[in-house]
Amino acid sequence: MAPQRFHEQFDQIQRSMPDVPLAMGPDGDAGLLYEKGVVLARDGEEARIVEDTVRAHFTETRGLFPDHVRRTGPQTSRTGVTRIRVGDPGQGDDPVPHALRALGEMEARRGHQLASRNHVVHIAVNACPGDEPVPAVRTGPVNPGVAAGGYDPETAVRVLVVDTGLVHDHGSCPLLAHTTGDAQVDETDGDGLLHQYVGHGTFIAGIVAAVAPNSDITVLGTLNDAGAILESEFGARLFEAVDRAGWPDIISLSAGTPTTGTGTTGGLTGVTGLIGLEAFMRELRSQRTLLVAAAGNNASSTPFWPAAYAALPEYADSVLSVGALRADGEAEACFSNHGPWVRAYAPGERLTSALTGFDTPVPYVYQHSTYDACRFGFSYPCTCRFPCHTGVLSEQRESTGAKPDQVMFDGLAQWSGTSFATPVAAGLVAARMTAYREREPRMAGARLLAATVERAEVRGARVPALRPATWRPVPLAVPALPA
């Protein structure tokens, strides 16, 4: 992934977590963020082994401090995770890589990972944005369009969106008439400008509602804080979400993170999943809920978790991982992650849905500049390049003094990312449950994939393409930025 956009966004996330020192890694790897000076381990014996092993290693390593190695926070929790401080990130090099290397021999003997970085889990446009939203005509059509069929509260499929919350006037949008949930926190700044990523959860809910009108959609603002959260907290927040809303038929989750690791899991060499999510994923497996998760926007084959759980045999029926197709639906969008762990692809470039309500227009200033060429090396007119705009965070703007572009939103928007391909797929599973009166969401998801004959070209492979009948391809032409 091109570093410029990632570094710009890293600064934004760090500002949203002022008390948490963050790092990119390893070697500034784009898309991977974690907490400096802290590792995660499983409660009990493994946490003790990690603590003792790292302390013994640091006794023999210059510049690191064994007396800093200690457990922090609750020692037991529902997530089964212990947070261990392995050094002071303010003194010398970040101690986390040293601590993980110290555990290598012990992990090899035990045959599995004992500790991991405390990753930053982010909505799948945040640390790796597909693009920023573009205003659409407020009276224009949504894309995907609204499918046939009405809403019946007795038979409606229950869909839980774990994301940012709903904008305050979402009820003025007909698409969201039956959508409930948390309010978006701090929609605008002191100047009345829309904050970055406000409307992300609202946009997703609108897509689900269009594809599957007979859905009860609940949007929880679990990721309201700039769409980013530490892995050590994420599992607990997911438990809170299902405790509040109940286990639904479908969870639409447009968030995750890549990882680093030394194990081989389910045929995915070098990755191990998220220690902080293990307890939640085990509980998910025991339920009937289908988790539909975004593959991420790093244009990478590196697994993005929790979507990558779909490739593990024990989760194959309970997780559907979704990549994004470009605007014409024939191949992957330039930003979409890919690989054998991505089960299906759905339209995810230049979709149209509700961003804000229709009551009051609100201004937005672009944060990132577009590029002269696709940052991932694609040649079609992708969202890296068009519509052209200058962003306030851009290094180019700082060097040229260019003024950032401002637009007005008053309802609908056009937006791109695997974040939005995910609710397309979730909506298609929900729509199938209604059409065929299926009661089991996992069976509906499996049958949807089995019945999908359409294919798209992704990195030389022909992959399942979940294109709703109401979705309209967008011509691959250079679009203009609305005035």
Side-chain angles (χ1 to χ4, degrees):
M1 178 181 175
Q4 177 183 315
R5 182 76 61 89
F6 177 66
H7 283 273
E8 292 169 0
Q9 199 59 41
F10 171 81
D11 293 338
Q12 291 284 84
I13 293 175
Q14 181 63 87
R15 280 193 287 272
S16 76
M17 299 180 171
D19 300 324
V20 180
L22 298 180
M24 308 176 196
D27 303 321
D29 180 31
L32 176 60
L33 304 176
Y34 67 95
E35 182 182 13
K36 289 182 182 178
V38 168
V39 299
L40 300 185
R42 299 170 187 86
D43 288 344
E45 179 192 11
E46 290 198 1
R48 179 186 58 77
I49 291 171
V50 169
E51 191 174 12
D52 292 347
T53 302
V54 173
R55 183 177 289 114
H57 174 78
F58 281 8
T59 301
E60 303 170 359
T61 304
R62 181 180 300 177
L64 297 171
F65 307 91
D67 55 330
H68 286 147
V69 180
R70 63 187 185 279
R71 306 183 197 192
T72 64
Q75 300 308 300
T76 59
S77 70
R78 188 174 177 185
T79 61
V81 173
T82 295
R83 185 173 174 272
I84 301 175
R85 180 164 294 284
V86 294
D88 184 350
Q91 298 188 37
D93 295 335
D94 178 18
V96 168
H98 299 278
L100 295 178
R101 282 195 294 271
L103 291 163
E105 183 178 342
M106 182 68 70
E107 290 179 332
R109 288 203 298 268
R110 287 182 164 254
H112 69 272
Q113 183 185 33
L114 291 172
S116 76
R117 290 171 167 83
N118 191 12
H119 300 95
V120 176
V121 178
H122 46 79
I123 59 177
V125 298
N126 206 326
C128 45
D131 70 347
E132 292 175 85
V134 175
V137 178
R138 62 179 295 173
T139 57
V142 294
N143 189 19
V146 180
Y151 171 75
D152 175 11
E154 298 298 319
T155 63
V157 179
R158 295 178 58 236
V159 180
L160 174 61
V161 175
V162 178
D163 207 88
T164 64
L166 293 162
V167 294
H168 74 279
D169 55 349
H170 71 275
S172 59
C173 175
L175 267 180
L176 303 174
H178 308 295
T179 298
T180 60
D182 294 335
Q184 170 73 51
V185 176
D186 296 330
E187 293 183 16
T188 57
D189 64 15
D191 296 321
L193 297 172
L194 199 67
H195 281 302
Q196 193 176 17
Y197 303 122
V198 166
H200 191 262
T202 305
F203 195 95
I204 288 170
I207 292 174
V208 175
V211 177
N214 192 33
S215 297
D216 269 327
I217 304 168
T218 301
V219 180
L220 297 188
T222 304
L223 298 168
N224 256 335
D225 189 5
I229 188 171
L230 290 173
E231 178 185 340
S232 56
E233 301 172 12
F234 189 44
R237 296 290 294 274
L238 288 175
F239 274 126
E240 290 172 8
V242 295
D243 286 347
R244 283 182 55 194
W247 284 94
D249 296 305
I250 300 166
I251 297 175
S252 181
L253 179 63
S254 293
T257 178
T259 66
T260 57
T262 57
T264 299
T265 309
L268 301 180
T269 302
V271 294
T272 52
L274 298 176
I275 288 177
L277 250 61
E278 285 181 354
F280 178 81
M281 295 304 296
R282 284 195 300 270
E283 180 68 18
L284 170 74
R285 195 171 59 195
S286 70
Q287 302 290 330
R288 55 187 290 278
T289 299
L290 176 66
L291 172 63
V292 184
N297 301 331
N298 297 320
S300 170
S301 61
T302 300
F304 190 81
W305 303 87
Y309 281 103
L312 308 187
E314 61 268 40
Y315 293 105
D317 66 336
S318 53
V319 181
L320 174 58
S321 50
V322 186
L325 297 175
R326 69 190 192 189
D328 67 354
E330 296 303 316
E332 82 273 30
C334 69
F335 51 78
S336 181
N337 284 351
H338 52 89
W341 54 275
V342 183
R343 298 283 303 282
Y345 292 75
E349 190 173 62
R350 299 195 173 108
L351 300 185
T352 306
S353 183
L355 182 79
T356 65
F358 291 78
D359 291 346
T360 306
V362 58
Y364 177 74
V365 173
Y366 282 100
Q367 302 297 297
H368 303 288
S369 295
T370 45
Y371 293 74
D372 294 332
C374 173
R375 63 193 190 273
F376 304 117
F378 284 68
S379 59
Y380 77 96
C382 63
T383 57
C384 295
R385 298 189 287 159
F386 307 107
C388 297
H389 51 255
T390 299
V392 68
L393 299 176
S394 172
E395 298 168 4
Q396 297 170 349
R397 188 190 75 84
E398 293 178 1
S399 62
T400 63
K403 183 179 179 181
D405 289 306
Q406 178 174 310
V407 291
M408 296 293 292
F409 286 105
D410 62 352
L412 300 181
Q414 199 175 76
W415 212 346
S416 305
T418 59
S419 279
F420 313 122
T422 298
V424 171
L428 284 172
V429 175
R432 181 181 176 93
M433 290 179 68
T434 295
Y436 292 91
R437 299 183 181 180
E438 294 181 349
R439 299 181 60 85
E440 296 301 322
R442 295 178 184 177
M443 185 62 71
R447 288 173 175 167
L448 174 68
L449 287 181
T452 299
V453 296
E454 294 188 29
R455 293 292 185 267
E457 184 81 16
V458 174
R459 310 282 170 154
R462 300 293 290 173
V463 300
L466 303 177
R467 304 184 185 101
T470 59
W471 171 76
R472 298 175 303 282
V474 178
L476 293 183
V478 177
L481 183 69

